PDB file of all heavy atoms in Angstrom:
ATOM      1  N   GLN G 409     -14.483 -17.932 -22.086  1.00  0.00           N
ATOM      2  CA  GLN G 409     -15.936 -18.030 -22.085  1.00  0.00           C
ATOM      3  C   GLN G 409     -16.376 -19.129 -21.142  1.00  0.00           C
ATOM      4  O   GLN G 409     -15.788 -20.199 -21.065  1.00  0.00           O
ATOM      5  CB  GLN G 409     -16.449 -18.292 -23.503  1.00  0.00           C
ATOM      6  CG  GLN G 409     -17.960 -18.163 -23.618  1.00  0.00           C
ATOM      7  CD  GLN G 409     -18.389 -17.695 -25.001  1.00  0.00           C
ATOM      8  OE1 GLN G 409     -17.575 -17.307 -25.827  1.00  0.00           O
ATOM      9  NE2 GLN G 409     -19.698 -17.749 -25.258  1.00  0.00           N
ATOM     10  N   LEU G 410     -17.476 -18.867 -20.428  1.00  0.00           N
ATOM     11  CA  LEU G 410     -17.956 -19.803 -19.412  1.00  0.00           C
ATOM     12  C   LEU G 410     -19.167 -20.629 -19.859  1.00  0.00           C
ATOM     13  O   LEU G 410     -19.500 -21.607 -19.209  1.00  0.00           O
ATOM     14  CB  LEU G 410     -18.335 -19.030 -18.126  1.00  0.00           C
ATOM     15  CG  LEU G 410     -17.162 -18.483 -17.306  1.00  0.00           C
ATOM     16  CD1 LEU G 410     -17.697 -17.670 -16.133  1.00  0.00           C
ATOM     17  CD2 LEU G 410     -16.275 -19.616 -16.820  1.00  0.00           C
ATOM     18  N   GLY G 411     -19.812 -20.223 -20.930  1.00  0.00           N
ATOM     19  CA  GLY G 411     -20.982 -20.927 -21.381  1.00  0.00           C
ATOM     20  C   GLY G 411     -21.563 -20.318 -22.632  1.00  0.00           C
ATOM     21  O   GLY G 411     -20.976 -19.388 -23.208  1.00  0.00           O
ATOM     22  N   PRO G 412     -22.717 -20.797 -23.092  1.00  0.00           N
ATOM     23  CA  PRO G 412     -23.343 -20.252 -24.287  1.00  0.00           C
ATOM     24  C   PRO G 412     -23.658 -18.777 -24.140  1.00  0.00           C
ATOM     25  O   PRO G 412     -24.106 -18.327 -23.076  1.00  0.00           O
ATOM     26  CB  PRO G 412     -24.616 -21.102 -24.421  1.00  0.00           C
ATOM     27  CG  PRO G 412     -24.364 -22.341 -23.630  1.00  0.00           C
ATOM     28  CD  PRO G 412     -23.473 -21.927 -22.511  1.00  0.00           C
ATOM     29  N   ASP G 413     -23.437 -18.008 -25.198  1.00  0.00           N
ATOM     30  CA  ASP G 413     -23.704 -16.576 -25.192  1.00  0.00           C
ATOM     31  C   ASP G 413     -25.201 -16.358 -25.424  1.00  0.00           C
ATOM     32  O   ASP G 413     -25.745 -16.712 -26.460  1.00  0.00           O
ATOM     33  CB  ASP G 413     -22.890 -15.897 -26.289  1.00  0.00           C
ATOM     34  CG  ASP G 413     -22.861 -14.395 -26.134  1.00  0.00           C
ATOM     35  OD1 ASP G 413     -23.826 -13.824 -25.573  1.00  0.00           O
ATOM     36  OD2 ASP G 413     -21.880 -13.762 -26.574  1.00  0.00           O
ATOM     37  N   PRO G 414     -25.917 -15.752 -24.435  1.00  0.00           N
ATOM     38  CA  PRO G 414     -27.352 -15.550 -24.588  1.00  0.00           C
ATOM     39  C   PRO G 414     -27.717 -14.354 -25.473  1.00  0.00           C
ATOM     40  O   PRO G 414     -28.886 -14.159 -25.792  1.00  0.00           O
ATOM     41  CB  PRO G 414     -27.818 -15.320 -23.149  1.00  0.00           C
ATOM     42  CG  PRO G 414     -26.638 -14.681 -22.501  1.00  0.00           C
ATOM     43  CD  PRO G 414     -25.420 -15.292 -23.134  1.00  0.00           C
ATOM     44  N   ARG G 415     -26.727 -13.567 -25.850  1.00  0.00           N
ATOM     45  CA  ARG G 415     -27.032 -12.349 -26.618  1.00  0.00           C
ATOM     46  C   ARG G 415     -27.300 -12.673 -28.083  1.00  0.00           C
ATOM     47  O   ARG G 415     -26.739 -13.633 -28.628  1.00  0.00           O
ATOM     48  CB  ARG G 415     -25.839 -11.368 -26.537  1.00  0.00           C
ATOM     49  CG  ARG G 415     -25.472 -10.953 -25.122  1.00  0.00           C
ATOM     50  CD  ARG G 415     -24.193 -10.149 -25.107  1.00  0.00           C
ATOM     51  NE  ARG G 415     -23.070 -10.934 -25.621  1.00  0.00           N
ATOM     52  CZ  ARG G 415     -21.819 -10.455 -25.807  1.00  0.00           C
ATOM     53  NH1 ARG G 415     -21.566  -9.200 -25.480  1.00  0.00           N
ATOM     54  NH2 ARG G 415     -20.876 -11.224 -26.261  1.00  0.00           N
ATOM     55  N   ARG G 420     -23.028  -9.278 -30.015  1.00  0.00           N
ATOM     56  CA  ARG G 420     -21.878  -9.968 -29.448  1.00  0.00           C
ATOM     57  C   ARG G 420     -20.582  -9.234 -29.670  1.00  0.00           C
ATOM     58  O   ARG G 420     -19.683  -9.258 -28.830  1.00  0.00           O
ATOM     59  CB  ARG G 420     -21.805 -11.389 -30.006  1.00  0.00           C
ATOM     60  CG  ARG G 420     -22.997 -12.227 -29.563  1.00  0.00           C
ATOM     61  CD  ARG G 420     -22.989 -13.629 -30.100  1.00  0.00           C
ATOM     62  NE  ARG G 420     -24.202 -14.337 -29.702  1.00  0.00           N
ATOM     63  CZ  ARG G 420     -24.495 -15.567 -30.055  1.00  0.00           C
ATOM     64  NH1 ARG G 420     -23.647 -16.256 -30.815  1.00  0.00           N
ATOM     65  NH2 ARG G 420     -25.619 -16.133 -29.658  1.00  0.00           N
ATOM     66  N   PHE G 425     -19.086 -13.702 -23.816  1.00  0.00           N
ATOM     67  CA  PHE G 425     -19.932 -13.517 -22.654  1.00  0.00           C
ATOM     68  C   PHE G 425     -20.833 -14.744 -22.537  1.00  0.00           C
ATOM     69  O   PHE G 425     -21.357 -15.204 -23.557  1.00  0.00           O
ATOM     70  CB  PHE G 425     -20.797 -12.257 -22.775  1.00  0.00           C
ATOM     71  CG  PHE G 425     -21.712 -12.052 -21.594  1.00  0.00           C
ATOM     72  CD1 PHE G 425     -21.249 -11.407 -20.469  1.00  0.00           C
ATOM     73  CD2 PHE G 425     -23.012 -12.514 -21.611  1.00  0.00           C
ATOM     74  CE1 PHE G 425     -22.093 -11.224 -19.366  1.00  0.00           C
ATOM     75  CE2 PHE G 425     -23.859 -12.358 -20.533  1.00  0.00           C
ATOM     76  CZ  PHE G 425     -23.377 -11.695 -19.393  1.00  0.00           C
ATOM     77  N   PRO G 426     -21.018 -15.293 -21.341  1.00  0.00           N
ATOM     78  CA  PRO G 426     -20.352 -14.927 -20.089  1.00  0.00           C
ATOM     79  C   PRO G 426     -18.878 -15.369 -20.079  1.00  0.00           C
ATOM     80  O   PRO G 426     -18.530 -16.326 -20.770  1.00  0.00           O
ATOM     81  CB  PRO G 426     -21.169 -15.682 -19.036  1.00  0.00           C
ATOM     82  CG  PRO G 426     -21.683 -16.872 -19.776  1.00  0.00           C
ATOM     83  CD  PRO G 426     -21.969 -16.415 -21.178  1.00  0.00           C
TER      84      PRO G 426
END
Side-chain angles (χ1 to χ4, degrees):
Q409 190 150 351
L410 287 176
D413 193 332
R415 302 172 299 176
R420 295 180 183 178
F425 179 85

